[in-house]
Amino acid sequence: MNKFTRNFPPREPTKPVQDRVEDLLSKMTLEEKIGQLQQVDASTIPVPDEFIAKISRGEIGSIINQTDPDICNAMQKAAVENSRLGIPLLIGRDVIHGFRTIAPIPLGQAATWNPDLVRDIAQVAAREARSQGVHWTFAPMIDISRDPRWGRIAESFGEDPYLTSVLGVAMLEGFQGNDLSAPDSIAACAKHFVGYGASESGRDYNTTNIPANELRNVYLPPFKALVDAGIATVMTSFSDIDGVPATANADLVEGVLRQDWGFDGLIVSDWNAIGELVVHGLSEDNAHAVIEAVTAGIDMDMAGGVYEAHLADHVASGLIDERKIDEMVSRVLRLKFDLGLFEQPYAQPDLYPPLTDKSAREIAYQAALESFVLLKNDADTLPLQSEDVRSIAIIGPLGDAPHEQLGTWIFDGLAEDSVTPLAALKATYGTQIKITHVPGLSTSRDRRHDQFEAAEAAARESDVAIVLLGEESILSGEAHSRADISLPGAQSELLQRVHAASRKTVTVIMAGRPLTIERDLPHTDALLFAWHPGTMGGPALIDLIFGVHAPSGKLPVTFPRSVGQIPIYYNHKTTGRPPVADDMVLIDDIEEQAKQTSLGMSSFHLDDGHLPLFPFGFGLSYADFTLSDLKLNHWTMRENESIKVSVKLTNSSVHAGATTVQLYLRDVSASVTRPVRELKKFRKVSVAPNSATDIVFELKPSDLAFYRRDKSFGPEAGEFKIWVSTNAQDGLSGEFQLAI
Ligand code: BGC
């Protein structure tokens, strides 16, 4: 048992939380209240006495970035034993895709299209984190991300509001469980409210401009879904939206989140985002910024120190009513009570010692496996038959890069825990297959060609070359945006040289975002997109390559052919002049002195057409899946009625496999222009070799609802088209009428 736990028997845990909050609040001084609204960066170790003294005076309510259990417990002891009212500290940490056991980056988790798995991953992270003393994570990040230049796309679930909502809720359930006070639960935080993913040109922290209808129909729905599912906290964004930074945006925070949706949990600013209102040019100084943030509804100041500096003066001068402060503080206290911190405030590292739990690694393995997306597989290159392969060359900078396969935001994950593809290949096939390893480049950014001849030789002398390319972890994530999203360094050249020398080339790309890889495709026989797959990426990848399991991942985001196509996403509007295939003469085929209208007058790029490289929802398998027999049980949907859409999914191959069947909808005419397709339902199904299964989706009028021209929410009568498919670009189609 942890040495700290014994001293603290439960203190009135049966009294209703609201009574306990009010009791405590009635005893607090203004300074103690303001302390509760302060989150302080505690990353400086060892803990300075002054820090402990502040905690003891009740001036710090929450800390961030400290996960040493002994240090956390020492700080907690100061709060609980030395401060006048013994209010425990709330300890926050970015536990984004695992704590010690690292799962794929969230974008990779989205590629699994498997909410149960996303829930399990978050559960593992919650129990590892809580036992080390963390009570609160800043995830899930549910920003709709349609720009792969933006480094933070790695942290997102991609471009679709529905997929993001479903997976966001699953992650929230995994973190929070049924009871926040359980020793394996932590509070989750939906972020960044709202619109951050629309940062102009994909450059981090940049301005966003999102029209009101688009905000309601695309960017807000995941937040609404998580509020409805019981998210404990929400974080506001750094970015400004339509001229008002989110952290000062009373219309959105106080108006939409609090009043329209009834969210009564804790709202925290992003890191120093209140102080940054001055830099945005919205507030003349920090004192004014504090008024803006309090008015907008921000309860806690993350790492900015500006509430501490100015709130007391504002209360004294009457600019802020103390009752407002009480409201803010009561949300912090309520969360602390809900987390059971008054009963058990301490880290209990012995409860879930990291990496002793086999199930954590199994979940990380399964998550990696299901996140891989097979983008190309000419002539059934994959799976490799182990009995036919005598030699393999592992080439590329990411074949044995334990840190790089973990991805962004891995504060507590360790490279030494990673199993790389090279290590996994050696462990499983080392005695039967000759394995040669030539990185070819020292990092993904390396431009030197000096190892190319060795790489070519290894490829030439092996039955198969497995080339592991992509981006190092540091090239995506916060503040790591790119303008050119092709393979960095000399990786494309390396691939060309290896492909020319080898009999069979299998390329694996690990990256934090979609990359523009059109020019690389001809230089490989098979291509797997592996995102940053985490601790167990290596074994999962090797098992997939050798057909122990078949790939089932599907893209959660569109892959552009070029940066110039961005933004490109499947659920775009039709426009008044949608692309017409016959009109699309590309730049090299245009006749000299062609007439102004000779290329038609529709929406496409002369040099890239209008289609992406790979559409949303796309991903191949070793199994051959076909959909057939689409049936709708009614042609007309009436109020309080549903339509059943059924389809047959056949696997006509000798491989067992899973795929995700997707149902898309289009509202043909409405009071505002609607997307050409919107994902409404999906189901991931496993099908045995040479067999078939029936899938039924149910659509209700509420599935057809959207924010209309008059700003109300609901469906509109008329014609609807549907597609059932395995990606956003094709599929079986049908139609029905909504008569309400
Ligand atoms: C990020 C947040 C994160 C916070 C705390 C900020 O820079 O935008 O997403 O939770 O830091 O680390």
Side-chain angles (χ1 to χ4, degrees), residues 97-271:
H97 54 112
F99 184 75
R100 178 80 185 260
T101 310
I102 302 297
I105 53 170
L107 194 59
Q109 292 183 39
T112 70
W113 292 60
N114 186 342
D116 293 336
L117 193 50
V118 171
R119 191 179 301 111
D120 288 348
I121 296 165
Q123 230 284 292
V124 168
R127 69 177 183 243
E128 288 187 353
R130 181 86 188 233
S131 74
Q132 297 298 299
V134 173
H135 315 127
W136 182 19
T137 180
F138 305 108
M141 192 269 233
I142 48 171
D143 294 318
I144 296 303
S145 305
R146 291 169 161 180
D147 193 328
R149 292 171 298 186
W150 191 44
R152 301 199 81 166
I153 196 171
E155 287 174 61
S156 80
F157 292 123
E159 75 191 29
D160 183 63
Y162 178 69
L163 184 62
T164 298
S165 302
V166 172
L167 299 182
V169 167
M171 192 179 265
L172 141 69
E173 291 169 349
F175 284 135
Q176 297 194 173
N178 296 324
D179 173 8
L180 274 183
S181 71
D184 56 356
S185 293
I186 54 178
C189 182
K191 71 186 189 186
H192 306 83
F193 192 81
V194 58
Y196 188 19
S199 294
E200 277 182 356
S201 78
R203 188 155 56 80
D204 208 1
Y205 315 122
N206 209 354
T207 295
T208 73
N209 282 298
I210 309 173
N213 188 263
E214 186 83 344
L215 186 68
R216 293 261 175 197
N217 282 319
V218 176
Y219 291 86
L220 284 169
F223 286 94
K224 174 76 164 60
L226 269 70
V227 166
D228 291 347
I231 189 91
T233 72
V234 172
M235 183 190 295
T236 54
S237 170
F238 286 127
S239 43
D240 60 330
I241 174 162
D242 197 16
V244 184
T247 302
N249 206 312
D251 289 346
L252 291 172
V253 182
E254 188 59 38
V256 174
L257 184 56
R258 286 259 190 252
Q259 284 170 24
D260 296 354
W261 298 350
F263 177 67
D264 200 24
L266 174 66
I267 300 180
V268 62
S269 76
D270 204 339
W271 189 283

Side-chain angles (χ1 to χ4, degrees), residues 685-696:
V685 234
S686 299
V687 192
N690 291 312
S691 50
T693 186
D694 291 324
I695 295 163
V696 182

